[in-house]
Amino acid sequence: MQKIGRRVPVNLREIWPRESDFSDWLVSEHGLELIANDLELEIEEPRREQGLGDFPCDIAGHLLGESSHKVVIENQFGRTNHDHLGKLLTHAAMHSAMTGIWLAEKVSDDHRKVIDWLNDNTPKTVSLYLAEIKAYR
């Protein structure tokens, strides 16, 4: 008989000591597969620390087969905060992105409401995603 264990949450810093390590993983085949499966977005040609203006974006790329559909990704450890919300919006504007993705360990209800409000009040050609990322042992 096979023994079944209990799923134990793991702090992302145990897997990736720095946010930049997490970003490096996100642009890997496994990270892109996670985004494709969970958000139903296939991203190609992801680039790390893309700088337009004064602030580099964690990840910038475009949708599969649509080089004009720019995608930016802002990721963070811990709970969502205003700083990373501002970064997501700044990167989206600087890259003329049609899609913005914000990944965090814990999503505040306030920030989820902001993303919902933005999606309801911006052109339908622009989409913002806010998702929690969890790891388990």
Side-chain angles (χ1 to χ4, degrees):
M1 177 174 229
Q2 184 143 12
K3 185 177 179 181
I4 297 176
R6 179 174 261 159
R7 183 172 72 164
V8 178
V10 176
N11 184 301
L12 295 185
R13 289 183 192 273
E14 290 182 37
I15 302 167
W16 304 286
R18 299 180 319 259
E19 278 187 25
S20 61
D21 298 326
F22 178 42
S23 295
D24 289 340
W25 178 80
L26 280 171
V27 298
S28 74
E29 180 181 334
H30 295 293
L32 293 173
E33 183 179 319
L34 175 88
I35 292 169
N37 289 339
D38 287 357
L39 301 180
E40 298 179 358
L41 298 171
E42 291 189 60
I43 299 168
E44 65 180 353
E45 298 184 17
R47 296 169 315 282
R48 289 273 295 113
E49 297 297 327
Q50 287 300 293
L52 292 177
D54 295 332
F55 307 101
C57 178
D58 287 343
I59 301 167
H62 59 84
L63 286 187
L64 180 65
E66 297 182 47
S67 61
S68 64
H69 188 123
K70 306 295 182 201
V71 177
V72 294
I73 301 174
E74 179 63 28
N75 55 277
Q76 74 174 101
F77 288 153
R79 187 174 188 203
T80 55
N81 58 42
H82 294 349
D83 177 56
H84 283 81
L85 172 60
K87 288 177 181 180
L88 175 70
L89 297 176
T90 300
H91 300 321
M94 293 305 296
H95 288 267
S96 298
M98 308 287 287
T99 300
I101 301 169
W102 184 11
L103 302 173
E105 285 182 276
K106 176 72 177 142
V107 172
S108 159
D109 288 340
D110 293 349
H111 291 127
R112 185 169 309 284
K113 189 167 262 181
V114 168
I115 296 299
D116 289 344
W117 181 83
L118 286 166
N119 280 325
D120 290 343
N121 290 283
T122 55
K124 296 298 177 205
T125 56
V126 175
S127 296
L128 298 171
Y129 295 82
L130 175 55
E132 286 185 348
I133 183 155
K134 303 284 186 191
Y136 298 93
R137 180 177 304 119

